[in-house]
Amino acid sequence: MKTKTIYLFLLAGILLISVTSCDWFKSDGGENTDPDETIGKIDNYWKVSSSGYSNATLTIVDNDDGNVVANIAYDGDNYEVEGKITDKGIYDYVYSNGDHSKPFTLVKFDASVGDKWEFKVGNQTVVREVVKKSETDDTPYGFYYIKTIDVKETVPEGIEVKNGESQVRQIVWKFNHKFGFISATVTTVNGKIVTVSQYATNANE
Amino acid sequence: MIRKTACLLFLTVILCTGCKRVLNREEAERSLKVLNSNLVNFISLSSEKPEIQGLYFLLDEPASPLTLTQNRNFFKRGTSSDSPAKLKGIYQWYPGKKLFEKKDTSKQLVLLFPLEEKPGDSARFVLSEFESQDCKSRPEFPVTIKADMFINGLKKLTIDHQAEVQDNLPLHVSGLVAGDGYKLIYHLNRTRQEESGTIDLDLILKANGFELCSFGANAKIGYSRQGYYFRYISFQLKIFEHEITGELDYSKIDPTASDYIDLFNRYSRIGIRETAGPEVGNIILGETGNGELLDYFVKFANGDKVLLSSYIPMLKKILNYKY
């Protein structure tokens, strides 16, 4: 009896230590927001190009517990965008106009094909759906091939973004868990298709 | 006995003829049809006014210098938004060529054009003062507008708008748009205390001394790098013989939640009633299209729900405004 009791106390102690020392109680329900553990480190950058447009560079300039501020340098101007980056995924605050209590999932690195995330505004719904998850290195990237998770974002007509009606009807995003953003194929409301591709990043360093 | 009967009769009469608080479905549907009919008539009459037709043309025609395009600047890109003075002059519209050609110099921007609906009528729009400031919204926000619209030489419309911009957002706005026998007056005020603030908006349309419609909204907002977002909003719209009031607590409505509809309906109250009279119904969110889509419904006193667009297509557009 005595031995059993000691054993139970020991077991409880071990459980207590493991629960309080593990990352389960870090912010965001199991997702690690430590910038050093994610691709959201300050000064991480992604350089992108698109046929017919100037190149652009997105650089993380601030990271507060996963909430990142990125600067986009494009065509002589600078723009800001906010989001959230954890070790599990990327979220943005575009549709919530910067309300950090309403992050919208852009990608989760452990998602499966068919996983869907929705953001509702009144009676309109923006849908992001995982349409492909590579099982082999099948996407060209520089001199080699990588795996990607492809997310199709469908934007309903009339939805407002940054105080103006969205000019985008659909985006097919490609992400990689090491390199982050790989490309985005954007279809505008006029049917024009533009592909923005990343050609350089330090996110994997 | 007679006294008792008289009392009973009296009570019955009072109950039957007393104020109705809530309309039954049939009465409510009739009421909504009246509202829709008033809206349609109002829009129809307004759009027949030549000065409104002229204004619409200038704002809608892509070749117009005033068109509200997707560009950030009020004036079209390429016409030098950095130097509005360059746009001053007298311009004539050529429908065949679909463009405004400069005819003469002027200290103002003067646009001459025929009305599409009535080609015999000539319109002259004179923008005597205009100034805009960079703003998080698109296009640039106008801080001064003084303009007049003349139809066949007679002044038909006056626009007088003033605003102050702070933190790249409108801080105070006031304006007047006045035509023959009618005027629209509006005000907006915004406050900020660190990352929180308020927006108050009011708008009144009067015609021939009568108030046709008024709108008032009070909102609590949060500030972000992108601008602002709504936390709570209450509004009241009086239009002809109806009143629509609403309260929406956005801070409690999670747009990514699987039970979004329940949250929306729990934390919002949007009601339609006849002015100083009985309730017509409440507006709620529900599923449609085999559960694939969301849409607004009118919920009547008996619990029946019917698509709002069945009765008032225009209100749906107003409620779609995103925050």
Side-chain angles (χ1 to χ4, degrees):
Chain A
M1 182 63 188
K2 196 176 176 182
T3 312
K4 205 175 178 179
T5 311
I6 293 169
Y7 180 73
L8 278 169
F9 274 115
L10 207 56
L11 189 62
I14 291 168
L15 279 171
L16 189 66
I17 290 165
S18 40
V19 157
T20 54
S21 65
C22 82
D23 291 343
W24 290 356
F25 290 93
K26 268 202 176 202
S27 52
D28 302 306
E31 293 192 50
N32 192 341
T33 55
D34 182 350
D36 288 333
E37 303 294 324
T38 73
I39 57 172
K41 251 193 312 201
I42 291 175
D43 293 331
N44 271 6
Y45 64 79
W46 291 263
K47 293 180 191 280
V48 301
S49 66
S50 180
S51 178
Y53 296 88
S54 305
N55 290 353
T57 303
L58 183 148
T59 309
I60 306 282
V61 295
D62 191 35
N63 187 324
D64 178 15
D65 193 28
N67 288 311
V68 300
V69 179
N71 179 70
I72 302 173
Y74 173 71
D75 202 22
D77 280 325
N78 287 295
Y79 305 89
E80 264 187 2
V81 68
E82 286 186 284
K84 184 173 175 178
I85 298 177
T86 74
D87 62 334
K88 298 279 194 300
I90 302 172
Y91 310 78
D92 72 75
Y93 300 117
V94 172
Y95 291 100
S96 69
N97 259 8
D99 184 353
H100 288 195
S101 69
K102 298 174 182 178
F104 185 25
T105 305
L106 190 46
V107 68
K108 284 192 175 171
F109 299 122
D110 61 356
S112 305
V113 173
D115 283 359
K116 241 189 242 189
W117 307 289
E118 296 181 347
F119 191 102
K120 294 179 175 67
V121 182
N123 66 341
Q124 296 175 303
T125 306
V126 180
V127 180
R128 288 173 176 164
E129 182 181 0
V130 178
V131 292
K132 181 193 160 212
K133 186 170 184 179
S134 303
E135 293 183 3
T136 59
D137 295 334
D138 56 8
T139 302
Y141 182 68
F143 293 108
Y144 44 96
Y145 285 74
I146 56 172
K147 295 186 181 66
T148 63
I149 299 175
D150 295 8
V151 176
K152 183 170 82 172
E153 176 171 339
T154 307
V155 184
E157 187 182 338
I159 208 144
E160 297 224 343
V161 175
K162 289 178 79 73
N163 303 110
E165 194 169 318
S166 173
Q167 295 305 297
V168 169
R169 201 47 77 231
Q170 184 185 93
I171 307 173
V172 178
W173 304 87
K174 283 184 185 287
F175 295 97
N176 172 276
H177 68 287
K178 270 193 207 167
F179 300 105
F181 172 80
I182 301 301
S183 72
T185 301
V186 181
T187 305
T188 69
V189 297
N190 300 321
K192 187 176 175 184
I193 298 176
V194 177
T195 298
V196 181
S197 302
Q198 183 254 99
Y199 64 88
T201 182
N202 63 346
N204 58 311
E205 291 167 14
Chain B
M1 179 68 184
I2 293 170
R3 202 180 285 176
K4 270 188 185 172
T5 310
C7 279
L8 201 62
L9 207 59
F10 178 73
L11 273 169
T12 309
V13 167
I14 293 292
L15 283 169
C16 291
T17 59
C19 289
K20 259 191 194 168
R21 299 299 300 163
V22 183
L23 297 177
N24 63 36
R25 175 163 171 176
E26 202 180 312
E27 291 164 331
E29 283 183 325
R30 269 204 297 275
S31 184
L32 288 171
K33 282 173 185 170
V34 167
L35 173 57
N36 187 60
S37 177
N38 284 336
L39 277 169
V40 169
N41 288 339
F42 171 71
I43 290 163
S44 180
L45 285 169
S46 302
S47 61
E48 283 171 13
K49 290 190 175 296
E51 65 271 24
I52 301 299
Q53 288 175 9
L55 199 59
Y56 180 79
F57 166 75
L58 292 176
L59 293 173
D60 189 57
E61 167 56 52
S64 159
L66 297 185
T67 191
L68 291 176
T69 68
Q70 304 311 318
N71 301 311
R72 287 183 55 79
N73 304 311
F74 200 84
F75 292 98
K76 280 178 64 178
R77 192 188 293 276
T79 56
S80 182
S81 59
D82 295 333
S83 177
K86 287 189 181 179
L87 281 169
K88 289 179 182 174
I90 301 174
Y91 296 78
Q92 175 71 55
W93 172 252
Y94 290 97
K97 298 179 192 176
K98 276 205 169 289
L99 54 82
F100 276 98
E101 273 185 6
K102 192 169 183 176
K103 280 178 58 175
D104 208 343
T105 56
S106 171
K107 289 182 182 175
Q108 303 162 325
L109 171 65
V110 180
L111 303 172
L112 306 172
F113 56 99
L115 294 176
E116 277 189 4
E117 305 288 326
K118 291 182 183 175
D121 285 353
S122 65
R124 175 165 54 100
F125 180 82
V126 180
L127 184 65
S128 49
E129 276 186 62
F130 181 85
E131 190 187 337
S132 65
Q133 281 188 29
D134 198 32
C135 200
K136 286 186 193 293
S137 67
R138 300 177 295 180
E140 277 195 351
F141 199 84
V143 293
T144 303
I145 302 176
K146 284 194 195 299
D148 298 291
M149 177 83 78
F150 297 83
I151 304 294
N152 298 330
L154 295 172
K155 188 190 288 191
K156 289 291 188 182
L157 190 76
T158 295
I159 300 172
D160 187 352
H161 165 98
Q162 301 289 330
E164 186 185 336
V165 172
Q166 194 179 85
D167 302 329
N168 286 323
L169 291 168
L171 184 67
H172 302 298
V173 180
S174 65
L176 166 72
V177 178
D180 271 346
Y182 66 89
K183 59 181 170 184
L184 172 71
I185 302 167
Y186 56 89
H187 300 95
L188 178 142
N189 288 295
R190 178 176 63 84
T191 67
R192 181 169 190 165
Q193 294 87 37
E194 295 180 354
E195 300 312 311
S196 299
T198 60
I199 289 180
D200 296 308
L201 169 70
D202 65 80
L203 194 150
I204 298 176
L205 175 64
K206 289 182 176 179
N208 300 321
F210 293 97
E211 188 177 294
L212 287 185
C213 92
S214 68
F215 177 75
N218 307 103
K220 290 181 188 169
I221 60 173
Y223 287 95
S224 68
R225 287 171 185 267
Q226 287 177 215
Y228 64 88
Y229 53 90
F230 285 89
R231 287 184 173 143
Y232 175 88
I233 185 166
S234 67
F235 68 88
Q236 183 182 60
L237 170 67
K238 287 182 186 174
I239 183 155
F240 306 111
E241 299 154 32
H242 288 82
E243 201 174 286
I244 301 166
T245 55
E247 285 183 12
L248 299 97
D249 190 348
Y250 283 107
S251 66
K252 295 192 167 72
I253 302 173
D254 179 359
T256 65
S258 55
D259 61 343
Y260 172 77
I261 293 175
D262 289 338
L263 287 173
F264 185 94
N265 291 331
R266 195 183 314 158
Y267 294 110
S268 68
R269 287 283 179 276
I270 306 172
I272 307 177
R273 68 186 313 129
E274 292 180 353
T275 311
E279 284 180 21
V280 175
N282 290 313
I283 299 174
I284 60 169
L285 202 58
E287 283 182 344
T288 184
N290 294 323
E292 294 285 322
L293 301 169
L294 302 181
D295 212 333
Y296 295 107
F297 290 76
V298 180
K299 187 176 174 184
F300 298 107
N302 64 353
D304 287 352
K305 293 185 288 189
V306 180
L307 277 172
L308 178 64
S309 54
S310 306
Y311 303 108
I312 315 167
M314 177 161 303
L315 265 185
K316 186 181 159 184
K317 196 172 170 82
I318 294 170
L319 289 168
N320 274 343
Y321 184 72
K322 185 249 180 183
Y323 305 101

